[in-house]
């Protein structure tokens, strides 16, 4: 089915013939329409729904928020042998907790004089590691990463790479290790447990940047859960952005499955995200991938010398759902100095052809304003963004989650 004819308003020259369904809305920053097509029809936005998830998280927590992972002990430390005579408990819901953070935990425990746990490793319900949704498996991965005799090559490499990245050669002079002699179990910290350490994740804005560059579904679902799930995200968008209830339906905060949004509603979400970031002197490029520069979903799009850095956007792809769904939502810069916000939603067709068509629409709009021009942008490697985390002594600072953490 071809939708580029009767449903087109504004500048039809920007809109190419495409086999499938298409909705387009492009506007200048002041709200003038540049291109419009099927703006009130509902489409599957695929992973572009993550823009709503990111906006909900920023409104709820703020860009400086850090996820906490608390470490507890249920027994006494025998300094002579370096043994914790009891259980070690780890509680938290950090969506970015990974191998390098576990090895860092081993280092911090070593500095407290702990090299062995006589009891069990208890992880709280909801604890995850290495993007694994299973708490039990995550606990097992944590046990393995703590213990140098069990530690995988990948875990050791992740730790080494991160320490080198932050110029922490001192931590590489020794090999951190904590042996868990008991089992891995799932449960809450017992009443007698005392806090040892608190791990703080990187800032939320940096986690969102990595999430959106790679379109990480796991992280999006986890962050979506922290704000109450899909319906809480929908309710926030409807209330804060004045979106009509029949324009936006969400079944997942990652974009998997069947979600529905009109181009007009998605434009409100994009503008809402931009405004929320501006409140903290941030821009869309602080959370969304910059085409041709950042690694991930836009790494290989808009890569010519003149295009590189001129598009900041979120992609979406579902190869089979709704007959193939694809989207591109973001902003473009032009030589005239004009910035254009755009929403392009496609479904029921070939996703590769949809992507090329989206790129063609963006290029046509840029050329109508003198051609593409780069946004001001200083890239930071994703690994460096996620390296901005640390452990603090929980007792001394009072920065740990309560024992009844869900």
């Amino acid at each position: 089915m071809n939708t580029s004819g009767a449903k087109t308003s504004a500048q039809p020259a920007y809109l190419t013939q495409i086999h499938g369904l298409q909705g387009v809305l492009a506007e200048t920053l002041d709200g003038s329409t540049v291109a419009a097509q099927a703006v009130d029809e509902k489409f599957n936005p695929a992973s572009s729904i993550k823009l709503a998830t990111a906006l909900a998280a920023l409104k709820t927590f703020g860009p400086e928020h850090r996820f906490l992972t608390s470490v507890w002990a249920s027994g006494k430390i025998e300094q002579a042998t370096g043994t914790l005579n009891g259980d070690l408990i780890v509680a938290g819901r950090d969506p970015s907790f990974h191998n390098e953070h576990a090895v860092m935990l081993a280092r911090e425990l070593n500095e407290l004089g702990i090299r062995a746990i006589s009891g069990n490793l208890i992880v709280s319900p909801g604890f995850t590691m290495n993007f694994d949704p299973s708490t039990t498996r995550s606990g097992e991965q944590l046990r393995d990463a703590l213990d140098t005799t069990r530690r995988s090559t990948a875990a050791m490499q992740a730790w080494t790479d991160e320490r080198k990245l932050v110029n922490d050669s001192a931590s590489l002079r020794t090999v951190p290790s904590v042996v868990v002699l008991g089992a891995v179990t799932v449960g809450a910290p017992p009443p007698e447990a005392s806090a040892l350490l608190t791990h703080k994740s990187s800032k939320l804005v940096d986690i969102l940047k990595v999430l959106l560059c790679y379109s990480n579904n796991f992280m999006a679902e986890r962050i979506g859960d922290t704000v109450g799930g899909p319906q809480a995200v929908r309710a926030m968008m409807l209330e804060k952005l004045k979106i009509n209830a029949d324009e936006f339906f969400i079944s997942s905060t990652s974009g998997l499955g069947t979600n529905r949004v009109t181009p007009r509603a998605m434009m409100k979400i994009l503008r809402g995200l931009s405004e929320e970031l501006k409140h903290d002197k941030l821009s869309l490029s602080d959370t969304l991938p910059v085409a041709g520069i950042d690694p991930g979903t836009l790494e290989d799009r808009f890569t010519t010398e003149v295009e590189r850095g001129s598009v900041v956007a979120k992609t979406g792809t579902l190869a089979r759902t709704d007959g193939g769904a694809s989207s591109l939502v973001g902003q473009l810069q032009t030589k005239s100095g004009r910035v254009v916000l755009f929403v392009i939603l496609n479904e029921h067709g070939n996703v590769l052809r949809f992507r090329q068509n989206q790129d063609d629409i963006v290029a046509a709009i840029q050329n109508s304003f003198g051609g593409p021009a780069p946004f001001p942008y200083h890239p930071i490697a994703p690994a460096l963004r996620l390296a901005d985390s640390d452990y603090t002594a929980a007792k001394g600072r009072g920065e740990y989650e309560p024992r009844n953490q869900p």
Side-chain angles (χ1 to χ4, degrees):
M1 179 178 180
N2 191 296
T3 61
S4 59
K7 291 185 178 180
T8 300
S9 60
Q11 301 290 334
Y14 297 136
L15 306 174
T16 57
Q17 297 291 315
I18 184 73
H19 180 76
L21 302 178
Q22 178 166 278
V24 176
L25 182 56
E27 298 176 345
T28 58
L29 293 179
D30 63 7
S32 299
T33 300
V34 175
Q37 179 181 26
V39 296
D40 295 313
E41 300 293 326
K42 290 185 283 289
F43 296 84
N44 191 329
S47 281
S48 290
I49 206 74
K50 291 182 174 77
L51 298 181
T53 305
L55 176 54
L58 288 169
K59 281 188 172 293
T60 301
F61 301 113
E64 300 290 312
H65 176 76
R66 295 175 186 263
F67 296 95
L68 302 183
T69 301
S70 305
V71 183
W72 304 74
S74 66
K76 300 294 185 181
I77 302 171
E78 186 178 318
Q79 295 292 343
T81 62
T83 302
L84 170 62
N85 291 312
D87 299 327
L88 185 73
I89 305 99
V90 178
R93 294 175 176 268
D94 177 5
S96 64
F97 196 89
H98 213 258
N99 279 321
E100 56 270 27
H101 306 126
V103 180
M104 185 186 290
L105 170 57
R107 185 195 68 179
E108 295 298 320
L109 291 172
N110 287 169
E111 291 188 359
L112 292 176
I114 300 173
R115 296 189 175 278
I117 311 297
S118 68
N120 296 331
L121 171 61
I122 303 173
V123 292
S124 68
F127 172 79
T128 58
M129 176 173 163
N130 295 337
F131 309 142
D132 191 324
S134 166
T135 297
T136 298
R137 288 196 304 268
S138 294
E140 292 168 349
Q141 292 179 65
L142 176 59
R143 173 201 60 198
D144 293 350
L146 290 173
D147 184 351
T148 188
T149 66
R150 290 176 174 268
R151 189 174 299 146
S152 67
T153 302
M156 194 63 205
Q157 190 64 53
W159 161 252
T160 302
D161 290 346
E162 185 195 60
R163 291 301 92 195
K164 289 180 178 178
L165 195 62
V166 297
N167 297 315
D168 179 19
S169 57
S171 293
L172 298 177
R173 292 171 188 157
T174 59
V175 179
S177 185
V178 175
V179 178
V180 178
L181 300 176
V184 176
T185 64
V186 178
E192 71 275 10
S194 58
L196 290 178
L197 300 164
T198 297
H199 174 259
K200 292 182 177 181
S201 74
S202 296
K203 296 175 183 177
L204 175 61
V205 67
D206 288 323
I207 292 175
L208 290 175
K209 175 72 173 187
V210 175
L211 183 168
L212 295 171
C213 277
Y214 292 103
S215 200
N216 187 295
N217 292 325
F218 173 83
M219 295 175 77
E221 294 284 356
R222 294 285 295 176
I223 289 176
D225 288 343
T226 66
V227 299
Q231 296 317 307
V233 171
R234 179 176 185 265
M236 188 180 297
M237 297 302 105
L238 298 187
E239 177 189 356
K240 301 295 185 182
L241 304 180
K242 308 304 180 187
I243 294 174
N244 293 329
D246 61 353
E247 287 187 278
F248 183 46
F249 298 93
I250 176 173
S251 62
S252 76
T253 55
S254 65
L256 294 174
T258 304
N259 299 285
R260 293 288 182 265
V261 66
T262 65
R264 193 185 303 279
M266 184 57 84
M267 179 62 75
K268 289 183 179 180
I269 292 170
L270 177 63
R271 286 186 178 275
L273 178 59
S274 180
E275 288 301 315
E276 186 67 25
L277 290 165
K278 284 180 183 178
H279 292 163
D280 294 283
K281 297 181 172 58
L282 299 170
S283 66
L284 287 175
S285 62
D286 288 303
T287 55
L288 299 183
V290 178
I293 296 177
D294 285 325
T297 57
L298 281 184
E299 185 174 359
D300 298 322
R301 294 172 73 173
F302 306 100
T303 57
T304 67
E305 186 174 349
V306 294
E307 293 174 322
R308 190 177 298 116
S310 69
V311 175
V312 179
K314 180 71 193 78
T315 62
T317 304
L318 290 169
R320 295 181 178 84
T321 305
D322 286 308
S326 180
S327 62
L328 188 67
V329 179
Q331 64 178 5
L332 60 86
Q333 177 66 277
T334 66
K335 285 185 178 179
S336 69
R338 189 70 62 89
V339 174
V340 176
L341 303 174
F342 63 87
V343 175
I344 308 173
L345 306 176
N346 296 106
E347 60 184 45
H348 291 285
N350 184 289
V351 295
L352 296 179
R353 291 178 182 173
F354 283 154
R355 287 177 191 168
Q356 184 58 57
N357 180 67
Q358 292 157 8
D359 293 358
D360 291 344
I361 292 173
V362 168
I365 294 173
Q366 287 179 317
N367 289 335
S368 72
F369 290 102
F375 285 99
Y377 181 59
H378 301 287
I380 300 173
L384 188 57
R385 291 180 183 273
L386 294 186
D388 181 26
S389 64
D390 64 9
Y391 282 89
T392 57
K395 285 185 176 180
R397 303 276 293 275
E399 296 166 337
Y400 52 89
E401 297 288 348
R403 289 179 186 153
N404 63 352
Q405 179 183 11

